[in-house]
Amino acid sequence: MPLAKTNLVWEGDLRRQTEAGGAGMAPAAGLPYGLGSGVEGLPHERYDLVIVGAGISGGVIAERAAAELGLVRPPRGPPGHLHPAPSRAVPRRGPGPRAAPGPEGAGRPRRPAPTPLEPPRPAPRPGRAPRARPKAGRRPCGGLTRGNGGHRAPPPTPPVQRSLIIDKRDHIGGNCYDFINDKGFRISQYGVHLFHTKYDRVWEYVNRFSEWMPYEHRVKGKCLDHNGEVKLVPIPPSQETVNTLFEAGVTNEDEMEAWLDARRPKILNPRNGEEMALSRSGPELYEAVFKYYTKKQWDKFPAELDASVLARIPVRLNTDDRYFTDPHQALPKDGYTKIFENMLLDNPLIDIRLSTDFFQIRDQLPEHTMLVFTGPIDAYYASLGLPKLEYRSLRFEEEYHEPEGGFYQEALQVNHPGPNVDYTRIVEYKHKPNQPTEVYDKPGTVIFKEYSTDVGEPYYPVPNPANRELYEKYREMAEKEPGVIFVGRLASYKYFNMDQAILNALEMFDNLKEKGTLEPSTEFKVLPKA
Ligand code: UDP
């Protein structure tokens, strides 16, 4: 497999591939890294895992399956369960190129291992026998739904530990995908991504696939003040926000609290997004910052959404103008796509096929023990004709400017919460410190106006009671789906942040190692940013 290229430039329709700043490279069948599409001519007849989706969940699962586990099948027991090999049978541990010691053990295998080295058919560990099926009424926690067994009998051949990842897109990285555009800027195809986490485990894990640059995200909002004039203020709202918009004149935390308490209703258990935002901010801030932004983003007013959606944005008593307060906040030095390259490419235990739509080829898949589905759960069951879950997508309008000083706006992300414009925010990637260095000397800059829409690629589940109720129906079917697990933001219909999606996938493997089943252990709550 060709080595991953750094600094890929994708032009136009993303079909032509050249090396940044260098001579053009011949397109490799239109797909990056010389990857193929479709499932014909695969190098192996069977796989442990077929993973639908080359985003965070699929990437982490494939990487872990290859690097950490000696997945073997039990001599007896239900198909569809993978068992960890005894630790002596995991031969390919060892730090990858950037591996730091951490709880995830090794990175990529050091060299190709054409045949698996695990001893065949070890007995399951005492007391660790897999359950034949989930307990009745059991609810998986933390955004994973799994089936209760495989639908194909394990073959008599020695076990392997391979994953096949298929993705209908022509790139890896899922919605994290970024690339160098034709003007030399690193941009994110599916909207700006900011990594932040309080989980040391996740931080250690991602550090094994990239160098990271410290970066604390600071968002500004162009909000309407009490005279209807547009003012630039910090988001989440803080002292400066109320002073600028409402001439509140607060100078410390006590005064800020008093200003808020004088207007915000006391609601102990907010039942929806409106009650949540009002009880934190009072009506003026609610109107200026939350109400219309939410309507534009979700095509619903906050009252029609779960409280958790609005709980993501706090109101600060202090002057902290950072968007997140997590201890780890950083950007990958060479972009997010590079992380996926380091996780997945040049790995003899992972095969990838792009531009390959699961629904077109599901009958032609090679033999496998488990299917890991990371797409929208209702798409998997589309043939049943149930109502569809709601998702929001994004549409981006790109503009190129050469403003005085080289920058279009004051920050990477400027929100436009008012009803005066249709877009929700403008992102100017030149503010990111992980641009190719020459970007900062350019006179120009690219910006993306972000519009929310209900057509196109699903990005966000829409958390509200109706969707949750409908999702429960899908989840119950998924629980019974033989040999299939549903994982990730879309498959588990949860508004995961990047770090939550990573931890969720990592925890599956904790359980795989411990119990022989694929379940995460952390129940993620939507946490406020502070
Ligand atoms: N929100 C808002 N005004 C803002 C920023 C956020 O009303 O200026 C609300 C809105 O409902 C949004 C939600 O808070 O969808 C979560 O915001 P976040 O920035 O976390 O959204 P994401 O970056 O995931 O699109």
Side-chain angles (χ1 to χ4, degrees):
M1 181 182 295
L3 285 177
K5 297 281 176 194
T6 52
N7 295 331
L8 293 179
V9 173
W10 295 93
E11 293 181 353
D13 65 356
L14 309 184
R15 294 285 159 187
R16 290 208 298 132
Q17 177 183 329
T18 57
E19 283 185 67
M25 192 177 86
L31 291 172
Y33 327 112
L35 295 174
S37 73
V39 289
E40 283 182 12
L42 287 167
H44 303 284
E45 282 183 4
R46 81 174 315 281
Y47 290 82
D48 285 287
L49 303 176
V50 167
I51 298 172
V52 182
I56 286 181
S57 306
V60 170
I61 291 165
E63 189 278 331
R64 285 294 87 198
E68 188 173 348
L69 294 178
L71 301 181
V72 294
R73 288 175 204 83
R76 285 181 295 278
H81 286 282
L82 299 175
H83 290 255
S87 55
R88 69 175 188 283
V90 183
R92 282 183 280 280
R93 287 177 186 250
R98 269 167 300 282
E104 306 316 326
R108 295 186 284 167
R110 281 182 184 181
R111 60 193 165 78
T115 52
L117 302 178
E118 294 74 32
R121 303 182 167 212
R125 284 192 263 167
R128 302 274 188 201
R131 288 198 301 271
R133 53 179 47 97
K135 285 180 197 156
R138 188 185 146 272
R139 292 166 59 110
C141 53
L144 172 79
T145 310
R146 75 172 169 80
N148 65 348
H151 54 305
R152 294 171 201 245
T157 49
V160 294
Q161 48 184 329
R162 295 183 193 287
S163 296
L164 169 65
I165 303 179
I166 59 173
D167 198 301
K168 69 178 179 183
R169 292 173 172 170
D170 57 6
H171 58 76
I172 58 175
N175 281 0
C176 298
Y177 174 68
D178 55 13
F179 64 102
I180 307 292
N181 78 355
D182 55 354
K183 294 196 169 61
F185 296 90
R186 175 172 286 115
I187 61 169
S188 290
Q189 177 140 325
Y190 305 97
V192 65
H193 280 66
L194 286 313
F195 184 84
H196 58 100
T197 189
K198 64 176 184 177
Y199 302 114
D200 290 342
R201 181 180 184 187
V202 173
W203 179 235
E204 282 165 10
Y205 182 71
V206 297
N207 268 276
R208 297 181 49 243
F209 305 104
S210 176
E211 288 176 46
W212 291 76
M213 308 174 79
Y215 177 74
E216 292 185 320
H217 192 41
R218 288 182 163 77
V219 174
K220 301 286 183 205
K222 286 200 167 162
C223 301
L224 299 178
D225 73 0
H226 62 119
N227 294 319
E229 285 176 26
V230 174
K231 295 275 167 61
L232 190 74
V233 292
I235 306 278
S238 59
Q239 291 177 23
E240 187 185 330
T241 312
V242 296
N243 287 340
T244 307
L245 294 180
F246 310 115
E247 295 170 28
V250 302
T251 58
N252 57 44
E253 293 186 29
D254 289 343
E255 287 174 15
M256 180 70 179
E257 192 164 23
W259 187 89
L260 289 167
D261 284 346
R263 41 197 36 85
R264 57 186 175 186
K266 287 198 175 23
I267 304 172
L268 282 183
N269 292 308
R271 286 167 302 177
N272 56 51
E274 180 177 296
E275 290 189 358
M276 173 58 78
L278 269 178
S279 67
R280 287 174 162 193
S281 66
E284 292 99 329
L285 271 179
Y286 175 69
E287 287 276 324
V289 175
F290 297 109
K291 184 174 175 182
Y292 301 103
Y293 186 106
T294 299
K295 175 66 175 151
K296 290 191 285 187
Q297 167 66 21
W298 302 97
D299 195 22
K300 293 186 191 318
F301 283 109
E304 303 167 89
L305 292 164
D306 283 354
S308 61
V309 177
L310 277 291
R312 288 169 65 92
I313 312 297
V315 175
R316 298 241 168 88
L317 297 182
N318 59 22
T319 54
D320 187 351
D321 64 347
R322 295 173 306 160
Y323 208 56
F324 313 109
T325 55
D326 289 322
H328 309 293
Q329 306 187 32
L331 293 174
K333 184 171 157 291
D334 299 309
Y336 290 100
T337 304
K338 189 77 187 163
I339 295 177
F340 289 85
E341 292 173 0
N342 288 335
M343 284 171 76
L344 304 177
L345 300 182
D346 195 23
N347 189 324
L349 297 173
I350 299 174
D351 292 323
I352 305 174
R353 291 291 181 270
L354 299 176
S355 300
T356 302
D357 185 344
F358 167 73
F359 297 106
Q360 306 284 323
I361 54 88
R362 65 194 298 181
D363 296 338
Q364 304 154 37
L365 285 173
E367 254 192 274
H368 54 279
T369 307
M370 273 195 187
L371 183 81
V372 178
F373 186 80
T374 72
I377 191 167
D378 55 340
Y380 187 89
Y381 290 108
S383 61
L384 300 184
L386 282 173
K388 286 194 167 110
L389 288 162
E390 282 180 287
Y391 299 90
R392 296 301 289 173
S393 188
L394 296 175
R395 178 172 68 79
F396 302 98
E397 268 180 24
E398 179 176 353
E399 293 174 16
Y400 176 76
H401 295 269
E402 291 192 0
E404 205 179 320
F407 285 92
Y408 175 86
Q409 63 185 20
E410 299 77 2
L412 167 62
Q413 178 180 334
V414 175
N415 288 0
H416 290 257
N420 50 324
V421 294
D422 289 341
Y423 45 86
T424 53
R425 53 193 179 191
I426 300 180
V427 172
E428 183 178 19
Y429 286 99
K430 194 176 179 181
H431 285 281
K432 275 193 164 187
N434 66 343
Q435 290 289 347
T437 46
E438 61 275 14
V439 157
Y440 306 110
D441 297 326
K442 289 179 191 289
T445 184
V446 281
I447 61 150
F448 291 82
K449 291 181 173 157
E450 202 167 304
Y451 298 82
S452 171
T453 147
D454 61 358
V455 293
E457 295 275 311
Y459 289 36
Y460 298 87
V462 182
N464 72 7
N467 285 320
R468 249 183 298 128
E469 194 180 316
L470 181 55
Y471 168 69
E472 275 304 299
K473 295 197 170 69
Y474 284 109
R475 190 192 60 74
E476 278 165 21
M477 286 191 292
E479 275 261 289
K480 300 183 194 116
E481 190 72 34
V484 185
I485 59 168
F486 296 82
V487 59
R489 197 186 224 206
L490 301 176
S492 53
Y493 205 68
K494 286 204 165 50
Y495 193 172
F496 280 153
N497 292 327
M498 276 188 283
D499 64 325
Q500 294 171 325
I502 291 169
L503 187 60
N504 187 245
L506 287 174
E507 290 191 341
M508 287 174 56
F509 277 91
D510 292 345
N511 281 284
L512 182 54
K513 282 187 291 182
E514 295 293 318
K515 302 178 192 162
T517 59
L518 282 160
E519 300 161 18
S521 48
T522 300
E523 177 154 18
F524 295 104
K525 299 200 168 64
V526 178
L527 298 167
K529 291 185 186 343

